[in-house]
Amino acid sequence: MNNRVTKSAQIFRVGGTAAILCLGIFVFANRSFAQGAPRPNQSQGTQANPLPLSGRSGQSGSVVAVESPIAGTTTSVNTINPTVQVQGAYSGGARSTAKLPFSGKLSLREAIERGLDFNLGVLGLSYAALQAQGQSQVARSALLPNLSGNLTETVQQTNLRAAGIRFNSPIPGVNFPSIVGPFNYIDLRASLTQSILDLTARNNYRSANEVYRANQFSVRDARDLVVLAVGGAYLQVIATKERVKSARAQFETANALYQQNAQKRSVGLVAQVDVDRSEVEALAQQQRVTSFENDLAKQKISLARMTGLPPNDEYEITDDVPFLAAPSLNLGDALKQAFERRADLKAAEAQIRAAEHTLAAARDERLPSLSVSGDYGDIGTNPSQSHGTFTAAATVHFQIWQGGRTEGDIKQAEAALAQRRAELEDLKSQIEGDVRNAYLDLHAATSQVEVARRNLQVTKETLDLTRQRFDAGVTDNVEVVQAQEFLTSAELDVINSVFAHNVAKLSLARSIARAADSLQQFLNFQ
């Protein structure tokens, strides 16, 4: 009886040891299998995407129309100096001739079309909008299902003794192996994760989407700025071209007067001082021609760069933009249109909405989030011996303490929102100022055109009468030179006043967001 009990105890002891060994092998095998079989992703909690403090875009360039009084006294009736200041990206452009052949003759309409397509200011903001669209899609991916798959083949050998598992055999001379394997397995598996409720991720997506919309509005605003920049540069070239023409005419007149005095001097009809005085006037007019020609070449190069043409002056300007009364539009209607249509104002409003969503995302970091995940695949030593396995899990993630990170995210979002609201108020004031300034410049330029035209008519009559008196020997050529200088100044006044009037209309069109769509109503060109 005792022998039977002893034999049974030995059998149980051997069996138990074998069971422990099998359990150890099973555990380590499963651990190895787990390394090859991906588990559902555990949510670490979505955090708010911080925004830059300022929401203004396109700060790398600017276009501003300025009409400022000329400092000091002058004999000219012209007291306004119009300029279109173009800085940064708007002064350059991508090469356009490869995609749009150039005939060598540039009209105002073609210049604006090339500027809208190839000016660096528009291109840069267009690429920024494309980048913002990509960021919006990335933010949206956190709300959509994420599906992935993998195929793993593993060959493994496990050292049980190194893991701290030791087996003592009750049977003398029988030792259990401490090395398991090598063995191999194949795992083909697909994994799926899906966010069910994550308010922070949802607000991050809304914020990114509003930033994308703001960039789209900035592109529209950049188009108006390009029209102002290219149109202003084209008008400047026209004005300088007229100045060159006027200077050449005045040089020819002064040179003819000098030749006439030289001939009279040869027969003793005039004094040498009169000849010298007329020669000085001719040389001054020649200098003026050279200066204006140099300015014209530089302005044509600048215009070429804005429109993507080769940076040279070897092309012809085909349009002339004469004086045309401004469209009938009172100040109240202009302000109303500006606040309704200005794309930069809409961009600023979209930036505020983006900041509001970012602030909501930061506050929602304190709330729990819910996600589900799972995987399914076949695992085994070879495809014929594989078996399907799956895992499914639902996870509720909630923050307990992050060392004040959530409070820091909230403060950053609040600062960005406050800055964007301040920028919006400033932009509204700027828009109203743009419209009012354009109106003031337009009225001043209109009056200036009338005065300059009348002054030109009077100076022409004065010069004719003075030359008649000089030919009759009633006066010397001092009065002739002075009258000729007055005529030169009067001609430049007319050119400059028409240019100032056109710039003021162009500035008004930009200020009410109609530069790109309704330019024909403001400027008289083909």
Side-chain angles (χ1 to χ4, degrees):
M1 184 68 178
N2 291 334
N3 290 336
R4 290 180 179 179
V5 172
T6 302
K7 291 181 179 180
S8 298
Q10 291 176 349
I11 293 174
F12 282 117
R13 190 179 295 114
V14 173
T17 303
I20 293 174
L21 176 61
C22 292
L23 179 61
I25 295 174
F26 177 76
V27 168
F28 278 88
N30 273 325
R31 180 182 297 178
S32 301
F33 278 95
Q35 294 174 356
R39 296 297 182 185
N41 294 331
Q42 300 296 321
S43 173
Q44 299 299 317
T46 307
Q47 295 175 336
N49 295 329
L51 292 175
L53 186 61
S54 175
R56 291 184 174 179
S57 57
Q59 295 298 309
S60 59
S62 63
V63 182
V64 181
V66 179
E67 293 191 3
S68 57
I70 298 176
T73 59
T74 175
T75 57
S76 169
V77 299
N78 183 19
T79 58
I80 294 181
N81 181 31
T83 56
V84 178
Q85 300 175 354
V86 182
Q87 298 177 348
Y90 292 97
S91 62
R95 188 61 64 92
S96 64
T97 52
K99 298 181 180 179
L100 188 62
F102 181 52
S103 64
K105 296 182 178 181
L106 186 65
S107 66
L108 177 57
R109 187 181 301 277
E110 182 182 354
I112 290 176
E113 289 175 353
R114 285 180 179 271
L116 292 175
D117 290 337
F118 300 101
N119 185 270
L120 203 59
V122 170
L123 291 179
L125 287 175
S126 298
Y127 296 144
L130 185 62
Q131 185 182 49
Q133 183 183 22
Q135 292 171 348
S136 175
Q137 292 175 339
V138 170
R140 185 182 61 181
S141 67
L143 301 174
L144 298 178
N146 284 258
L147 181 64
S148 62
N150 55 24
L151 174 63
T152 304
E153 181 175 3
T154 303
V155 177
Q156 184 172 341
Q157 188 175 58
T158 302
N159 186 348
L160 300 179
R161 185 181 296 274
I165 299 177
R166 300 170 183 248
F167 300 101
N168 296 320
S169 173
I171 303 175
V174 176
N175 296 318
F176 293 102
S178 61
I179 303 299
V180 178
F183 58 91
N184 72 288
Y185 63 91
I186 298 175
D187 186 10
L188 175 62
R189 189 165 303 277
S191 301
L192 173 69
T193 60
Q194 171 65 62
S195 174
I196 302 300
L197 178 63
D198 192 334
L199 298 180
T200 297
R202 185 180 65 176
N203 279 301
N204 280 340
Y205 167 63
R206 289 178 175 178
S207 176
N209 199 39
E210 290 295 341
V211 171
Y212 170 51
R213 292 185 62 191
N215 278 269
Q216 288 180 309
F217 285 126
S218 295
V219 173
R220 288 173 51 185
D221 183 65
R223 292 175 62 84
D224 276 345
L225 290 178
V226 167
V227 172
L228 177 60
V230 175
Y234 197 98
L235 293 174
Q236 181 69 66
V237 170
I238 292 175
T240 307
K241 185 178 177 182
E242 292 298 318
R243 294 186 186 106
V244 170
K245 186 187 299 184
S246 173
R248 286 174 178 170
Q250 295 303 320
F251 167 67
E252 293 174 359
T253 301
N255 191 56
L257 180 61
Y258 163 66
Q259 298 296 336
Q260 181 182 3
N261 286 331
Q263 293 176 1
K264 289 183 178 181
R265 172 58 184 167
S266 64
V267 295
L269 296 179
V270 297
Q272 182 63 39
V273 66
D274 291 334
V275 177
D276 294 342
R277 191 180 294 117
S278 59
E279 184 179 7
V280 169
E281 177 64 18
L283 292 174
Q285 294 294 343
Q286 186 177 11
Q287 252 184 335
R288 185 177 284 115
V289 170
T290 302
S291 176
F292 283 147
E293 287 178 342
N294 185 62
D295 288 344
L296 177 61
K298 290 181 177 180
Q299 291 163 10
K300 291 177 71 175
I301 291 174
S302 297
L303 176 60
R305 290 194 61 232
M306 293 181 195
T307 54
L309 296 175
N312 59 59
D313 62 326
E314 298 175 0
Y315 61 93
E316 181 182 350
I317 295 295
T318 61
D319 279 345
D320 185 19
V321 183
F323 175 80
L324 176 68
S328 178
L329 183 66
N330 60 55
L331 181 59
D333 291 339
L335 288 171
K336 181 180 178 182
Q337 289 186 25
F339 286 120
E340 290 177 351
R341 297 165 59 103
R342 282 282 289 259
D344 52 348
L345 182 61
K346 295 180 180 179
E349 292 170 347
Q351 288 285 357
I352 287 181
R353 292 192 295 270
E356 289 173 343
H357 287 306
T358 298
L359 178 57
R363 290 171 175 168
D364 290 341
E365 290 179 12
R366 298 166 174 167
L367 302 179
S369 61
L370 173 63
S371 63
V372 295
S373 58
D375 65 73
Y376 181 84
D378 271 0
I379 189 168
T381 56
N382 57 63
S384 62
Q385 297 180 356
S386 64
H387 191 279
T389 61
F390 68 90
T391 303
T395 303
V396 176
H397 179 84
F398 51 90
Q399 303 289 355
I400 298 177
W401 173 246
Q402 289 186 298
R405 180 187 179 100
T406 299
E407 288 72 15
D409 290 340
I410 292 175
K411 288 182 180 179
Q412 293 184 67
E414 288 175 342
L417 177 58
Q419 176 71 8
R420 279 158 171 72
R421 285 174 174 168
E423 290 173 349
L424 177 62
E425 295 302 319
D426 174 69
L427 182 59
K428 289 180 179 178
S429 297
Q430 177 188 331
I431 291 173
E432 183 173 354
D434 289 345
V435 176
R436 291 184 181 276
N437 287 335
Y439 255 85
L440 291 173
D441 290 340
L442 184 59
H443 287 304
T446 302
S447 175
Q448 180 176 291
V449 170
E450 297 174 358
V451 175
R453 285 180 170 178
R454 177 55 183 165
N455 186 58
L456 178 61
Q457 182 181 357
V458 173
T459 53
K460 284 182 178 180
E461 295 176 357
T462 302
L463 178 61
D464 291 339
L465 293 173
T466 304
R467 294 192 65 176
Q468 291 175 11
R469 294 179 63 194
F470 175 72
D471 292 339
V474 177
T475 184
D476 56 18
N477 70 341
V478 174
E479 293 186 13
V480 177
V481 172
Q482 290 177 346
Q484 187 173 346
E485 286 288 344
F486 290 151
L487 179 60
T488 300
S489 178
E491 287 182 345
L492 294 179
D493 286 343
V494 172
I495 295 170
N496 208 55
S497 60
V498 173
F499 171 59
H501 187 265
N502 286 329
V503 169
K505 290 188 294 184
L506 189 62
S507 179
L508 178 60
R510 183 274 179 277
S511 65
I512 60 176
R514 297 180 63 183
D517 302 327
S518 307
L519 188 61
Q520 186 71 52
Q521 299 178 11
F522 289 85
L523 297 180
N524 183 17
F525 66 96
Q526 299 297 324

